[in-house]
Amino acid sequence: RFNFILLRENVGKRKAQIAAIRQSSGDLVLNVDSDSTLASDAVTKLALKMQDPGIGAAMGQLTASNRNDTWLTQLIDMEYWLACNEERAAQARFGAVMCCCGPCAMYRRSALLMLLDQYESQFFRGKPSDFGEDRHLTILMLKAGFRTEYVPDAMVATVVPDRMGPYLRQQLRWARSTFRDTLLALRLLPGLDRFITLDVVGQNLGPLLLAVAVLSGVWQVALTTTVPWWTIIMIASMTMIRCSVAALRARQLRFLAFSLHTPINLFLLLPL
């Protein structure tokens, strides 16, 4: 029941998507990354959500299929839970999920056909864009007046990096996409709910403010040889509050261990 489209050369995810969409005939298009496995009822649950004609795209909940491989994959699995059930779930309350992720996202084909030319012709620094497809396509949906949704019981398991090097490269790609497409979405924000605007601004200013706090602490140590206890206590307190809330909401004590992600964030992700 499947047609396989073999392109003559590797043209990247975006052009492969476009080739498939243009040859499709169904009302709905499902995007699944090659390293992802859907639950048997995931397509049904996404399709039920898409019965509303005002919805242009919907994504499912991500988990790490290799969660138990290393300490890092366990942290990433918790990171995915937080991204889906805090960030995406909150944005979905206002019908404006800002990024329907590639491992499992369903789109309305009629909406896609309206946007394909814009999607295909995106340039970044004078060159055709070759990253950030999921976020850019989601923002195009929102700009076209469609809602984007999150379906928490449409489960999909995806392979996550089990070593720090690949994880940091993945995070760099995602960060580039986030900052670039947030700039493209600035004109969109006034038309969305003010809480979405606050969320997007906070996501982008948060790392900058955290970097300023860390640098000021290092500066204090260098100039005065005193420990910046106030900065340390504040970051530790915010970490434990966030992890405790997640543990309570997920009813899983393992989320207290997500505090181990803070040093990775401070000393690896922020400089990156």
Side-chain angles (χ1 to χ4, degrees):
R1 296 182 293 128
F2 293 88
N3 294 324
F4 292 89
I5 302 168
L6 300 179
L7 304 176
R8 284 183 291 182
E9 58 180 336
N10 183 358
V11 292
K13 174 179 176 177
R14 187 178 306 228
K15 289 191 179 296
Q17 279 180 317
I18 291 168
I21 292 164
R22 285 186 169 143
Q23 294 189 41
S24 65
S25 58
D27 293 333
L28 303 174
V29 174
L30 181 69
N31 184 91
V32 182
D33 282 350
S34 59
D35 57 0
S36 303
T37 306
L38 273 63
S40 59
D41 59 355
V43 175
T44 300
K45 290 179 176 177
L46 287 169
L48 287 171
K49 174 65 75 172
M50 297 292 291
Q51 286 181 319
D52 184 340
I55 297 174
M59 65 167 282
Q61 180 175 176
L62 310 183
T63 64
S65 58
N66 56 335
R67 163 181 151 184
N68 295 321
D69 284 1
T70 66
W71 64 270
L72 181 59
T73 58
Q74 293 185 48
L75 281 182
I76 295 173
D77 181 69
M78 289 186 274
E79 185 179 12
Y80 280 13
W81 190 95
L82 291 165
C84 289
N85 294 296
E86 287 189 345
E87 178 188 319
R88 264 57 166 198
Q91 292 171 349
R93 290 293 296 267
F94 307 100
V97 173
M98 298 303 291
C99 179
C100 290
C101 300
C104 181
M106 184 173 280
Y107 299 94
R108 189 171 307 283
R109 191 172 68 95
S110 58
L112 284 175
L113 293 176
M114 293 167 45
L115 303 170
L116 277 189
D117 288 342
Q118 296 179 66
Y119 182 50
E120 187 172 17
S121 60
Q122 184 187 19
F123 283 79
F124 181 62
R125 298 178 66 187
K127 298 179 181 179
S129 177
D130 60 355
F131 66 92
E133 294 87 1
D134 307 324
R135 184 175 293 274
H136 185 60
L137 189 54
T138 306
I139 287 175
L140 288 179
M141 283 285 177
L142 290 169
K143 281 187 172 182
F146 292 96
R147 300 201 310 279
T148 54
E149 293 285 350
Y150 167 59
V151 184
D153 52 355
M155 304 297 297
V156 57
T158 188
V159 178
V160 301
D162 58 2
R163 291 177 294 113
M164 191 59 69
Y167 174 65
L168 293 178
R169 287 194 293 273
Q170 177 200 63
Q171 293 298 305
L172 179 58
R173 288 197 309 275
W174 289 1
R176 290 171 69 198
S177 170
T178 299
F179 289 122
R180 180 196 65 183
D181 284 293
T182 297
L183 290 174
L184 296 175
L186 287 179
R187 294 181 182 178
L188 167 69
L189 291 178
L192 301 176
D193 192 280
R194 63 185 182 277
F195 289 108
I196 290 291
T197 302
L198 180 64
D199 177 54
V200 172
V201 171
Q203 280 192 55
N204 286 272
L205 286 183
L208 176 62
L209 295 174
L210 185 58
V212 169
V214 172
L215 287 173
S216 66
V218 172
W219 189 252
Q220 178 180 328
V221 172
L223 288 183
T224 67
T225 65
T226 59
V227 179
W229 288 113
W230 178 248
T231 301
I232 294 172
I233 291 170
M234 183 62 68
I235 292 174
S237 299
M238 292 176 69
T239 298
M240 292 314 300
I241 290 170
R242 185 187 185 197
C243 294
S244 299
V245 170
L248 184 65
R249 291 190 64 237
R251 295 179 175 83
Q252 297 180 44
L253 286 175
R254 71 187 180 106
F255 279 90
L256 295 176
F258 191 68
S259 56
L260 297 175
H261 191 267
T262 296
I264 296 174
N265 192 19
L266 292 177
F267 303 115
L268 293 175
L269 294 180
L270 274 182
L272 190 71

